[in-house]
Amino acid sequence: MARQEELIVGLDVGASKVAAVVAKRSPAGLTLVGCGFAPLVSDGQVALHDRVRRGTVIDADATIQAVQDAVREAEVSAGCSVHSAIVGIGGAHFRGVNSHGVIPVRRGEVRAEDIERVLDAARTIAFPAERQVLHVLPQNYVLDDQEGIVDPLGMVGVRLEARVHVVTASVSAVHNVIRCCQRAGVEPVELVWAPLAAAEALLTPDEKELGVAFWDLGAGTTDVLIFHRGGLRFSYSLGMGGACITSDVAQGCHTTLHEAELIKVRYGCALRSEVSEQEVVDVTGLGGRPPHAVPLRELAWMIEARAEEILNLVWQEARKVEANQYTRCGAVIAGGGAMLSAIDRLLQQVSGVQVRVARRCILPQSEETEVAERVLADPTYAAAVGLVAMHERARLRPRNDVAADGGGRWNRAWSRVSSFLRALWE
């Protein structure tokens, strides 16, 4: 078995599923050696609507079981034991805001401690007590009159400014995820916003540099992250996702949520103009009622109406702050909702930019293995792969720990607090 310190485990705790990947560090880079997946099951059914609200944990037992199942599968696949992981979390409670900080350069030359101080100054924003800073993501630096600096380390000047994107989360929602992981036998060593990790695994460096909107269409939330010149310029989370569409289909077709999800996945389309008026699908009735036929055009109308509403609500937020001007490369969509037929064309109509569906993950400097081929070809594991990639990138840039991991020091502090609370409760 591989030693624990040689392994990097990414655990994505989503609204409707949990995904885990295990990577082993080697001189040549990372090797994906294991993976695991488990749907979030509650009362015998896959979580769809009532158990998935705004992407937060409302059924702790179901979440714990899903974490255990996904980790157990990953352990068997990798031939190792998993005791800790980098955990990806999401939900509509996440908020992103742009900020900046300014400090004097004490010794004339910018050092690592100067960069840490200016990032600390940038994160000094008045937030409610129930919120915590999860990430401080540098966009660029300004040294005296020089703008657009990516890394000021070693440069000479007297005044350093950092422009950053600060991501905050609900303390209680984050702690609920931590507690679920701990009760499942996995200690979170770092916390990362899941859509940020997914973007790391699915976007190319050129897209981030030229400007792109990354859409994560999940079951409980719809998230958009806009990158430009390598930095995150805008982020927004809406507490509506694929589960809302499933609920509409269930009500419109007079069937169960489980049946509605199956119909949506197999026959659904986000544009009714692309569906034949003659085609129908047989739908199981409620409470033992006989099956009945539903025209596919009518099914598509239900899906399109809700999907268009969700996309418009999110895109309006980007337009309010003119963040849409950064999307020169268009948009990339991922998540379970990205598998819905014609959703890319609907988004193109809403946003007015070209859209591609993310179908393969990117893990630089990784060895090609059978596990790697399976994981990287499955966007379900995107956030988990991104967690591993972000952690390794931060490790390779130890000179500037805060800038590299977007707030790792805060993650470690929160981990210590959670361990303290855990000791009190147990």
Side-chain angles (χ1 to χ4, degrees):
M1 288 189 180
R3 293 179 300 174
Q4 180 70 21
E5 60 267 22
E6 296 177 340
L7 302 176
I8 309 174
V9 181
L11 182 65
D12 173 29
V13 182
S16 62
K17 51 83 179 173
V18 174
V21 299
V22 181
K24 183 178 179 181
R25 189 177 291 122
S26 68
L30 294 176
T31 303
L32 292 176
V33 295
C35 62
F37 174 88
L40 192 63
V41 178
S42 181
D43 299 332
Q45 291 192 349
V46 175
L48 292 174
H49 185 63
D50 58 330
R51 300 290 179 181
V52 181
R53 291 180 183 169
R54 302 173 67 82
T56 57
V57 173
I58 63 171
D59 191 333
D61 291 338
T63 303
I64 293 167
Q65 186 63 54
V67 170
Q68 290 176 334
D69 292 344
V71 169
R72 189 178 300 113
E73 183 179 338
E75 289 177 328
V76 172
S77 177
C80 69
S81 296
V82 172
H83 305 291
S84 61
I86 306 140
V87 177
I89 58 177
H93 58 92
F94 277 87
R95 296 287 183 272
V97 61
N98 291 328
S99 180
H100 74 281
V102 182
I103 63 162
V105 180
R106 291 172 177 171
R107 301 180 184 178
E109 179 181 318
V110 179
R111 304 192 178 195
E113 55 264 32
D114 295 314
I115 297 176
E116 183 171 337
R117 284 195 302 118
V118 76
L119 292 177
D120 281 339
R123 78 171 86 229
T124 307
I125 308 174
F127 291 114
E130 67 272 13
R131 300 197 66 78
Q132 70 174 90
V133 175
L134 198 66
H135 299 292
V136 179
L137 305 166
Q139 297 170 342
N140 57 63
Y141 298 88
V142 180
L143 184 60
D144 296 340
D145 295 327
Q146 302 177 65
E147 296 197 10
I149 299 172
V150 176
D151 186 356
L153 190 67
M155 299 181 68
V156 176
V158 298
R159 180 182 182 274
L160 180 63
E161 177 182 354
R163 296 170 182 170
V164 303
H165 190 77
V166 180
V167 179
T168 67
S170 163
V171 171
S172 60
V174 169
H175 189 69
N176 284 335
V177 175
I178 291 176
R179 286 290 293 162
C180 287
C181 291
Q182 290 173 336
R183 290 174 61 187
V186 179
E187 184 66 33
V189 296
E190 190 173 344
L191 301 174
V192 177
W193 189 27
L196 185 64
E200 178 75 15
L202 296 171
L203 296 181
T204 67
D206 286 340
E207 286 174 328
K208 286 186 176 181
E209 181 65 26
L210 295 177
V212 66
F214 177 74
W215 292 74
D216 191 351
L217 311 180
T221 60
T222 298
D223 306 284
V224 64
L225 291 74
I226 297 181
F227 295 86
H228 183 244
R229 293 184 178 175
L232 182 59
R233 307 288 166 165
F234 171 84
S235 65
Y236 182 73
S237 295
L238 178 70
M240 298 172 64
C244 293
I245 298 175
T246 300
S247 178
D248 289 351
V249 172
Q251 294 181 47
C253 295
H254 306 291
T255 189
T256 64
L257 287 168
H258 181 69
E259 179 75 5
E261 178 70 9
L262 295 177
I263 294 171
K264 182 187 74 174
V265 172
R266 294 177 183 174
Y267 307 103
C269 182
L271 286 175
R272 62 181 181 272
S273 60
E274 298 189 6
V275 178
S276 169
E277 294 184 0
Q278 285 72 40
E279 292 184 86
V280 297
V281 59
D282 289 331
V283 178
T284 303
L286 282 170
R289 295 176 178 83
H292 55 280
V294 174
L296 288 186
R297 175 68 69 91
E298 184 176 333
L299 174 65
W301 177 83
M302 302 175 202
I303 295 172
E304 180 181 349
R306 179 65 77 175
E308 185 176 18
E309 178 194 15
I310 292 172
L311 298 179
N312 269 315
L313 286 172
V314 175
W315 198 237
Q316 284 171 8
E317 295 299 320
R319 284 175 173 158
K320 286 180 183 178
V321 294
E322 299 183 343
N324 57 306
Q325 65 179 318
Y326 296 125
T327 57
R328 294 183 179 178
C329 277
V332 176
I333 56 175
M339 299 300 103
L340 186 61
S341 177
I343 190 65
D344 54 335
R345 292 184 288 281
L346 178 60
L347 178 57
Q348 186 167 334
Q349 291 180 11
V350 170
S351 64
V353 300
Q354 292 185 334
V355 180
R356 78 169 175 91
V357 179
R359 302 190 184 279
R360 186 175 180 83
C361 303
I362 304 168
L363 185 61
Q365 299 180 336
S366 62
E367 295 185 20
E368 293 185 6
T369 64
E370 182 179 344
V371 173
E373 180 59 31
R374 184 170 73 253
V375 170
L376 297 180
D378 187 353
T380 302
Y381 291 98
V385 170
L387 293 170
V388 170
M390 291 178 70
H391 181 81
E392 184 66 4
R393 184 183 59 161
R395 187 187 70 88
L396 296 175
R397 295 179 58 188
R399 63 181 186 176
N400 185 5
D401 185 59
V402 176
D405 69 6
R409 183 161 57 89
W410 287 83
N411 274 319
R412 288 188 290 275
W414 175 254
S415 181
R416 289 193 294 270
V417 171
S418 66
S419 297
F420 172 75
L421 293 174
R422 181 186 184 189
L424 288 178
W425 290 340
E426 291 182 345

